[in-house]
């Protein structure tokens, strides 16, 4: 018959089981690794600083971009453009043919912010400077 030494059995009972502690440490490490590598994308927008309430008037014959609330979202020089890709091509063509004309953006109040950011990102990517953003006076 096999006998168990009582002193050896009592010694094992005093050692704590570290398996749950190691599991928790590994879960925390994985969580920290996953959250530490997330990159936040941002679009830098430079807003003009003005102390006066009088806004500038638009120069004659600008390149106008309209952003509306419903599809098609885009209009160039007052003409609706059905897709984003065709709008991009028409805008680039217009800017290349008339490089001295200022670019004016007019957006509907109910227009999507997502569409506005998409437009601003496109302008920034292609180094097109929008000289004015049209807005309504809030009184």
């Amino acid at each position: 018959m096999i006998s168990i030494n009582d002193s050896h059995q009592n010694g094992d009972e005093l050692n704590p089981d570290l398996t749950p502690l190691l599991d928790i440490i590994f879960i925390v490490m994985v969580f920290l690794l996953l959250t530490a590598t997330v990159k936040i994308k941002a679009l830098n927008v430079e807003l003009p600083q003005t102390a006066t309430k009088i806004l500038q008037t638009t120069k004659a014959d600008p390149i106008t971009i309209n952003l509306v609330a419903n599809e098609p979202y885009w209009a160039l020089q007052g003409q609706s453009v059905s897709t984003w890709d065709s709008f991009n091509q028409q805008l680039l063509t217009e800017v290349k043919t008339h490089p001295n004309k200022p670019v004016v953006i007019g957006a509907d109040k109910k227009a999507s912010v997502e569409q506005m950011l998409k437009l601003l990102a496109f302008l920034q990517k292609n180094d097109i400077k929008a000289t004015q953003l049209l807005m309504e006076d809030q009184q």
Side-chain angles (χ1 to χ4, degrees):
M1 183 153 111
I2 300 174
S3 65
I4 299 176
N5 189 353
D6 288 337
S7 64
H8 179 65
Q9 186 179 12
N10 290 340
D12 286 341
E13 289 178 8
L14 295 177
N15 292 333
D17 185 19
L18 297 178
T19 305
L21 179 63
L22 291 174
D23 288 343
I24 291 173
I25 290 173
F26 286 131
I27 290 171
V28 170
M29 284 177 48
V30 168
F31 174 75
L32 289 175
L33 288 173
L34 290 176
T35 58
T37 59
V38 174
K39 291 184 179 179
I40 298 175
K41 295 182 179 179
L43 175 67
N44 294 329
V45 178
E46 295 180 16
L47 298 176
Q49 300 294 325
T50 180
T52 62
K53 291 191 174 196
I54 300 173
L55 299 177
Q56 298 175 355
T57 58
T58 307
K59 292 181 182 178
D61 198 27
I63 298 172
T64 57
I65 300 172
N66 299 100
L67 183 63
V68 294
N70 301 323
E71 288 189 35
Y73 299 111
W74 315 104
L76 185 63
Q77 300 294 81
Q79 301 295 321
S80 295
V81 181
S82 59
T83 64
W84 172 249
D85 292 330
S86 60
F87 173 76
N88 291 345
Q89 292 171 355
Q90 289 180 18
L91 178 59
L92 288 175
T93 304
E94 188 73 25
V95 169
K96 286 179 184 176
T97 56
H98 306 289
N100 295 330
K101 284 187 176 182
V103 178
V104 176
I105 301 171
D108 187 2
K109 281 185 178 180
K110 296 181 182 177
S112 170
V113 174
E114 177 185 359
Q115 302 299 332
M116 178 62 116
L117 290 176
K118 189 176 183 180
L119 174 64
L120 291 174
F122 175 76
L123 293 174
Q124 185 178 31
K125 179 181 173 185
N126 291 291
D127 199 31
I128 299 170
K129 306 289 186 215
T131 58
Q132 294 179 352
L133 291 172
L134 301 179
M135 62 181 69
E136 284 186 24
D137 188 21
Q138 294 182 358
Q139 291 185 9

